[in-house]
Amino acid sequence: MSLKNPYGDFEITEPQALRALAHPVRLAILDRLQRHGPSTATGLSPHVGATPSVVSWHLRHLATFGLVADADGSTSKRERWWQATSRGFRFSLPDDAEGQAAARQLRGEMFARYAETPQQWLLQEDPRLDDTWRALAGVADTSFIATPDETRQLEEAIEELLAPYVRRKDDETPPAGAQIVRMLRYLLPEAADDPSAS
C-alpha cells in the first residue's frame, strides 16, 4: 500500500485487488466505510444490499488486500467492527494485459455505481440545502485539447488544490459553516480521429 498522494488514498497496484474491488457489494462496503466510518457486517448489510454473512465474507476478502481492517479500539467480542484503511483509493492502468483487464472491470463497476449519484443528489440533497449552498452546486462538461503530460499536470494540480480540504477532517476542526461537498471528476480522453477513415 502506498499513501504517497495528496489525499492519502490507498493505491491499488495488484490486478487481483482490482478484480476483488470490481464487485458491487465490495465497492459499496468500502464506500460506506470510507464515508461513514467503522461498522459491523450487520450494520453494513442494509446499506450494501447483502446479508450480514455475505457482507462478512466480502469484508474478509477486502482485508486480504489491505483495504479494510479491524476497527481501532473495537473491543466487542460479539461483533467484529471494521474500518477502511484509508479515506479513498486510486489505481492507474497497469502495463500488462491482465492488469488492464482488471482495471477496466473496476472502472466499469465504478461508472455503474456512480451513474445515479447526481440524480440521487438532486432528489435527496438539493431540496434540503439553503440557497447559498444550492447556488454553488453545478455541473460542467468541458472539453479541452492537451497532451498526455499536460493532462497529467492538470490532474496533479487539481489534486494539490483540493488536498487541504480533503484532509481537513483529520488535521483540524472545520471552520463554522463548513460541510461535506462531493466532487465527482471524470477525466475521459477521446480517441483521435483516424485520418484514413475519411
Side-chain angles (χ1 to χ4, degrees):
M1 176 175 87
S2 167
L3 297 178
K4 295 177 181 172
N5 54 70
Y7 298 164
D9 287 346
F10 188 103
E11 295 196 7
I12 303 172
T13 56
E14 303 171 21
Q16 300 87 345
L18 293 170
R19 275 196 304 278
L21 195 50
H23 185 286
V25 173
R26 289 184 205 133
L27 200 54
I29 288 169
L30 187 59
D31 183 62
R32 182 80 188 172
L33 290 174
Q34 288 173 335
R35 291 174 56 83
H36 299 281
S39 186
T40 63
T42 301
L44 290 165
S45 177
H47 302 285
V48 301
T51 65
S53 61
V54 169
V55 172
S56 182
W57 184 86
H58 284 304
L59 282 162
R60 289 191 304 274
H61 196 64
L62 289 170
T64 63
F65 297 103
L67 291 160
V68 301
D70 289 315
D72 295 334
S74 172
T75 57
S76 172
K77 293 184 179 183
R78 297 185 63 213
E79 292 184 300
R80 188 172 183 182
W81 283 77
W82 295 88
Q83 67 183 16
T85 56
S86 63
R87 76 179 71 255
F89 70 91
R90 63 180 60 210
F91 60 97
S92 54
L93 194 61
D95 294 331
D96 60 295
E98 178 191 10
Q100 290 179 9
R104 192 171 297 111
Q105 185 180 357
L106 179 53
R107 279 182 178 167
E109 191 57 48
M110 290 176 71
F111 283 145
R113 175 165 178 74
Y114 300 120
E116 294 182 16
T117 299
Q119 189 65 30
Q120 290 172 355
W121 174 86
L122 190 62
L123 296 173
Q124 298 169 11
E125 301 296 332
D126 182 65
R128 301 176 3 182
L129 293 173
D130 64 32
D131 290 342
T132 303
W133 280 108
R134 189 174 292 117
L136 290 169
V139 177
D141 181 1
T142 305
S143 295
F144 56 91
I145 298 173
T147 66
D149 283 341
E150 290 169 334
T151 304
R152 191 175 301 107
Q153 290 170 11
L154 178 61
E155 184 70 6
E156 289 171 0
I158 291 169
E159 289 197 348
E160 288 295 332
L161 187 64
L162 287 173
Y165 304 98
V166 171
R167 298 183 77 113
R168 177 179 267 168
K169 58 185 164 187
D170 291 343
D171 300 337
E172 61 185 74
T173 302
Q179 63 188 55
I180 294 175
V181 176
R182 189 168 190 182
M183 178 186 286
L184 297 178
R185 232 170 52 242
Y186 294 89
L187 192 59
L188 306 171
E190 296 181 6
D193 291 332
D194 183 357
S196 64
S198 47

